Amino acid sequence: MRPAVSALLAVCCGVCVIAAPPGARDAAAPEPLAPYTDTLPDTKITFDMVPIPAGTFRMGSPPGEPGRDEDEGPQHEVTLPAFYMGRLEVTWDEYDQFAQRLDIRRLRRLGREVPRAGATAVSRPTPPYADESWGWGKEKQPVVGITHHAATKYCEWLSAATGKRYRLPTEAEWEYAARAGSTTAYGFGDDPAQLPEFAWYRANAGEQPHPGGQKKPNAWGLHDMHGNVAEWTADLYRPDAYAGRSSPMTAPFVDPDGERYPHVVRGGSWDDDPAELRSAARRASSEAWSRQDPQNPKSPWWHTDATFVGFRVVREVR
Amino acid sequence: MSSESNPSIGSSRRDFIRTSTAAVVGGTLASTIGVPGAWAAGSDEIRVGVIGCGGRGTGAIDNVLDAAEGVRIVAVGDLFPDRIASCLERVQRHGERAAVPPDRQFSGWNAYEQVIATDANYIILASPPGFRPAHLKAAVAAGKHIFTEKPVAVDAAGYRVVIEAYEASLQKGLAIAAGTQRRHHAAYLEAMRRVKDGAIGEIVAARAYWNQGGLWVKPRQPEWTDMEYQLRNWLYYTWLSGDHIVEQHVHNLDVVNWAMGAIPVRVVGVGGRQARTEPEYGHIYDHFGLDYEFSNGVHMMSMCRQQAGTPGQVAEALVGTQGSLYTQDGRMYEITGPHAWRWDGEYTSPYVQEHINLIASIRAGRPINELKQVADSTFTAIAGRHAAYTGKVIGFDELMTSDESLVPAQLTFGPMPTPAVPVPGLEDVTSM
């Protein structure tokens, strides 16, 4: 009884329970890489992973691309190994498993076995003093309003739960996957008039995100890279991140090293205009995304004002 | 759908960063945001005393210091010294403006009196709501301006104390703002202005929701008495929080009362404790569903729940003869019908804005006073709780004379049994 109780208490007060090293042991990835569907343990909830081939691409946008910001240059060559990326953005169904599978009270009510602390446990989100789904519902809707920390912890939990090494994409991986071999402003070309076929954005989203996969995918089979919800990447945002990079450069990554802000968000959202949806467009997270959190300390898990940010996962291939 | 845009607002919603702004109440009060510390202490100096140093009280320190120049924190009080320490540590970024010397840090049951007795002229009340009537009474008696968190009472007796304090505060010309921050939110203000101007015609029905998942609980420590456990988990005890309908749903009820310009006259409804049943959650309910009726026959459907794993909804709606208003805090403010409108603008944090407005009103010599409206909305929620707890139709006039008083007369650390979970038809809550 005693260990279970202390685990319960640790979880409910939101203190980190701990810690197996995140995603420490990955099951061998199948070769050659092929799409696969993963299932969250003990659930019927699945998510699809798409192989992204190794390759080299030109990161950033050329001067003169309409809507371009200075922080998108200079363009440089980036080489990446193969990896897998989520076909869709992470849904509430998936994300809630993170909270609920670590909710020992819930497990008890369901008559399920309570895992021993330390085995797969990472800290879980403490509930917000609000409706985290903004009235849009959950289930297949993409998760929104979660912090970079929360998205990172989800990946750690998912890795521990599945035995595969899942994490946020780096900024370079994200842009490489969004381009899917293209060199144009969008994965499908340069003409924003085509956006409605590929993206939920300000002009067509009806002021809200939508369940993923309803729009056309890009050349590598990824949906909603443009629009719907903007997506967290692992990198710290620096406006001059590309300056001084060698070219080609292998797998660049600006390590946040514990900094809470700003991180890079990519792809634009339902709340954005076409320029923000471009493959090279970069956005920086900000404390203002928790502006309406009335508490001090502000929640490390929830952004009260970021109804437009979500994420998708990648899996490393060793 | 055709819609009018807000002419004063730019189109970009990117990041919504605004560090300075004009106050929105009345449209006349100027912002006083500026360089911290640049204000020479003088007659306009706002000297803040904080009562209640939890997450909200600490957040309120940030808000008031972000609201204006010439503001500093001069005293803090909390029942528990550890809360004071963690609070002051978290506000260190404000430097001298939040540097409270040890002899102005007060703990224990009388901490609020000690804070009020200092030279503070602006008191922030952020303790659990059960204490609010006593704190309001004392702060008004001492002639202090007040920012009070919501709700302002947990029972009818407390409500009457607050109304007496309100009347005294009017006599004294005190300024009082309340933590029903939607009243300071630019989008809500614009929506309500349009409703009052007839954008949806006559209101014929209303809805108010606060449905969400669960909230925090603090694990019991071996050295804690029952009283300390309840205080540190005050959400889950009616004498401290009023139950979640009072503590949280008061926000949405307040929006409808605001639109109606009145409070309801009676309420009937249901509620219960269905999903959150473990003893650490005290004895409050986890859901309420209520039918409120106003004197003009308009009904408000009210629903609130705190059940983990369920979809949420925090919103209000007004149905009018010519259109409807839909408000969802933080993301949607929309009128349908011939006078369709949709908020597409930016706004400051309403939690900062309420201090901007309060301070500006003090300095302009035109004190705002929101105590009555927040008390009435608090009472609206209390009446809803009674309806669900008892199963009866609760008349507002009758309840206002109830002698129910939930807060113990003697407050001491020691044994304190958890009250029974109210069961409609079985238990008279006035005997609890």
Side-chain angles (χ1 to χ4, degrees):
Chain A
M1 189 65 192
R2 183 72 55 176
V5 168
S6 60
L8 166 76
L9 298 179
V11 167
C12 39
C13 67
V15 171
C16 283
V17 187
I18 317 18
R25 284 175 187 73
D26 193 350
E31 292 281 357
L33 299 187
Y36 69 94
T37 297
D38 212 341
T39 303
L40 294 180
D42 305 325
T43 74
K44 296 173 183 168
I45 298 167
T46 61
F47 58 98
D48 297 335
M49 298 298 292
V50 173
I52 306 298
T56 297
F57 80 112
R58 199 156 176 77
M59 187 167 181
S61 60
E65 181 171 294
R68 179 184 194 263
D69 280 329
E70 279 296 303
D71 66 355
E72 297 168 25
Q75 282 187 293
H76 54 290
E77 301 281 320
V78 165
T79 298
L80 291 167
F83 59 96
Y84 287 100
M85 186 174 236
R87 186 174 70 87
L88 305 176
E89 292 151 343
V90 172
T91 64
W92 276 112
D93 266 350
E94 294 162 49
Y95 188 80
D96 277 345
Q97 287 299 311
F98 167 38
Q100 293 174 2
R101 290 285 296 165
L102 296 178
D103 183 341
I104 289 167
R105 274 192 203 83
R106 179 181 170 84
L107 296 178
R108 288 222 169 93
R109 285 182 192 136
L110 290 168
R112 299 262 175 80
E113 187 186 348
V114 175
R116 299 182 73 84
T120 62
V122 291
S123 63
R124 69 181 259 265
T126 48
Y129 189 93
D131 159 31
E132 65 270 33
S133 70
W134 300 91
W136 290 320
K138 288 189 150 185
E139 301 176 356
K140 301 302 178 195
Q141 282 280 354
V143 63
V144 289
I146 39 84
T147 62
H148 189 269
H149 172 76
T152 303
K153 288 293 170 187
Y154 172 83
C155 295
E156 289 180 15
W157 169 79
L158 184 65
S159 300
T162 61
K164 304 183 182 78
R165 184 184 290 268
Y166 290 106
R167 58 167 171 76
L168 290 178
T170 65
E171 185 176 15
E173 287 166 345
W174 193 95
E175 183 171 331
Y176 176 57
R179 290 187 175 283
S182 71
T183 58
T184 45
Y186 306 97
F188 52 81
D190 281 319
D191 187 2
Q194 274 186 273
L195 266 176
E197 298 171 46
F198 292 89
W200 296 109
Y201 66 117
R202 200 166 186 185
N204 69 351
E207 300 266 335
Q208 67 168 84
H210 295 267
Q214 300 181 68
K215 298 292 185 181
K216 288 182 184 172
N218 72 11
W220 290 346
L222 301 166
H223 294 262
D224 305 305
M225 293 298 281
H226 303 302
N228 207 26
V229 293
E231 299 177 14
W232 286 116
T233 71
D235 295 54
L236 190 71
Y237 174 82
R238 287 213 198 104
D240 59 351
Y242 303 169
R245 274 190 187 170
S246 60
S247 183
M249 184 161 190
T250 300
F253 169 51
V254 183
D255 190 342
D257 198 23
E259 288 291 313
R260 266 180 94 166
Y261 300 102
H263 290 95
V264 179
V265 169
R266 288 300 208 112
S269 77
W270 60 267
D271 196 28
D272 285 317
D273 290 321
E276 275 73 55
L277 271 60
R278 290 174 304 108
S279 297
R282 311 174 68 210
R283 182 171 183 174
S285 66
S286 136
E287 259 177 298
W289 292 8
S290 287
R291 189 182 47 153
Q292 293 190 76
D293 185 338
Q295 302 278 328
N296 179 339
K298 291 178 185 292
S299 171
W301 300 101
W302 306 99
H303 277 311
T304 52
D305 295 77
T307 56
F308 46 79
V309 72
F311 67 105
R312 76 178 72 210
V313 300
V314 296
R315 177 186 169 198
E316 292 179 15
V317 176
R318 288 282 161 111
Chain B
M1 183 190 76
S2 69
S3 76
E4 299 170 46
S5 64
N6 190 308
S8 65
I9 299 297
S11 62
S12 170
R13 286 176 291 182
R14 213 174 199 193
D15 292 359
F16 298 128
I17 297 173
R18 285 212 154 178
T19 53
S20 68
T21 185
V24 292
V25 168
T28 57
L29 306 174
S31 164
T32 48
I33 283 182
V35 182
W39 189 275
S43 59
D44 275 358
E45 188 186 42
I46 301 293
R47 298 182 299 277
V48 181
V50 181
I51 297 170
C53 294
R56 183 73 269 273
T58 308
I61 290 176
D62 290 334
N63 300 151
V64 74
L65 292 177
D66 287 345
E69 291 180 46
V71 179
R72 65 192 172 94
I73 312 300
V74 300
V76 292
D78 195 286
L79 191 50
F80 300 114
D82 62 290
R83 300 315 301 259
I84 294 175
S86 60
C87 167
L88 292 177
E89 188 182 330
R90 286 175 190 144
V91 299
Q92 279 180 354
R93 73 174 173 90
H94 301 289
E96 284 299 305
R97 303 175 80 205
V100 178
D103 64 349
R104 285 169 165 267
Q105 303 172 17
F106 304 105
S107 59
W109 294 107
N110 297 323
Y112 74 99
E113 293 173 327
Q114 293 170 289
V115 170
I116 290 169
T118 68
D119 64 345
N121 56 8
Y122 186 108
I123 303 293
I124 290 175
L125 299 181
S127 295
F131 300 119
R132 199 95 69 227
H135 293 181
L136 280 162
K137 181 179 178 179
V140 168
K144 311 289 185 173
H145 302 301
I146 299 167
F147 173 80
T148 176
E149 261 307 331
K150 40 47 65 174
V152 293
V154 298
D155 52 30
Y159 171 75
R160 291 194 299 271
V161 169
V162 173
I163 293 301
E164 283 172 20
Y166 165 71
E167 284 159 2
S169 72
L170 287 182
Q171 295 293 321
K172 295 182 176 204
L174 302 179
I176 303 180
T180 36
Q181 77 282 352
R182 285 163 176 77
R183 301 248 194 179
H184 296 268
H185 190 299
Y188 270 101
L189 285 160
E190 178 61 17
M192 215 53 82
R193 185 188 70 75
R194 287 168 184 265
V195 168
K196 302 274 183 190
D197 285 350
I200 63 171
E202 294 288 313
I203 296 170
V204 296
R207 298 193 295 275
Y209 298 87
W210 193 309
N211 294 343
Q212 72 152 75
L215 285 172
W216 49 265
V217 63
K218 296 195 174 143
R220 181 142 190 173
Q221 303 301 307
E223 67 274 20
W224 287 0
T225 60
D226 293 346
M227 174 63 97
E228 180 158 0
Y229 182 83
Q230 293 191 18
L231 287 162
R232 291 192 186 264
N233 287 284
W234 58 272
L235 288 171
Y236 305 114
Y237 297 88
T238 302
W239 74 272
L240 283 162
S241 72
D243 206 322
H244 71 97
I245 183 176
V246 179
E247 200 282 319
Q248 186 170 63
H249 189 43
V250 63
H251 281 296
N252 320 100
L253 299 173
D254 183 61
V255 169
V256 175
N257 287 351
W258 181 12
M260 296 297 293
I263 60 173
V265 293
R266 69 182 66 85
V267 56
V268 65
V270 295
R273 184 176 164 101
Q274 183 177 33
R276 186 172 58 188
T277 54
E278 291 86 348
E280 60 263 41
Y281 293 113
H283 69 126
I284 67 166
Y285 280 7
D286 60 13
H287 66 283
F288 293 85
L290 299 158
D291 172 11
Y292 285 93
E293 185 179 349
F294 289 85
S295 62
N296 61 359
V298 169
H299 286 252
M300 163 171 59
M301 193 280 278
S302 141
M303 184 189 295
C304 59
R305 74 174 172 206
Q306 292 181 349
Q307 295 181 337
T310 62
Q313 176 90 332
V314 181
E316 304 87 24
L318 301 171
V319 182
T321 51
Q322 294 181 45
S324 293
L325 170 71
Y326 300 97
T327 48
Q328 187 145 24
D329 190 27
R331 81 157 173 88
M332 182 181 70
Y333 314 88
E334 181 177 10
I335 287 172
T336 60
H339 303 290
W341 163 83
R342 186 165 209 161
W343 176 266
D344 192 24
E346 301 179 10
Y347 40 80
T348 50
S349 163
Y351 301 98
V352 177
Q353 192 68 51
E354 54 201 1
H355 290 282
I356 292 174
N357 296 343
L358 178 58
I359 291 168
S361 87
I362 292 167
R363 287 180 171 161
R366 296 197 305 276
I368 58 174
N369 194 324
E370 301 179 337
L371 191 51
K372 176 73 160 60
Q373 73 197 30
V374 71
D376 284 349
S377 291
T378 297
F379 187 79
T380 303
I382 291 169
R385 182 191 74 214
H386 273 264
Y389 277 13
T390 64
K392 298 173 183 170
V393 176
I394 299 295
F396 276 48
D397 286 346
E398 185 183 358
L399 182 63
M400 272 185 198
T401 63
S402 159
D403 58 3
E404 178 195 50
S405 182
L406 298 175
V407 183
Q410 289 296 318
L411 292 166
T412 53
F413 287 106
M416 181 106 175
T418 299
V421 177
V423 177
L426 272 187
E427 192 168 14
D428 182 353
V429 292
T430 59
S431 68
M432 282 168 53

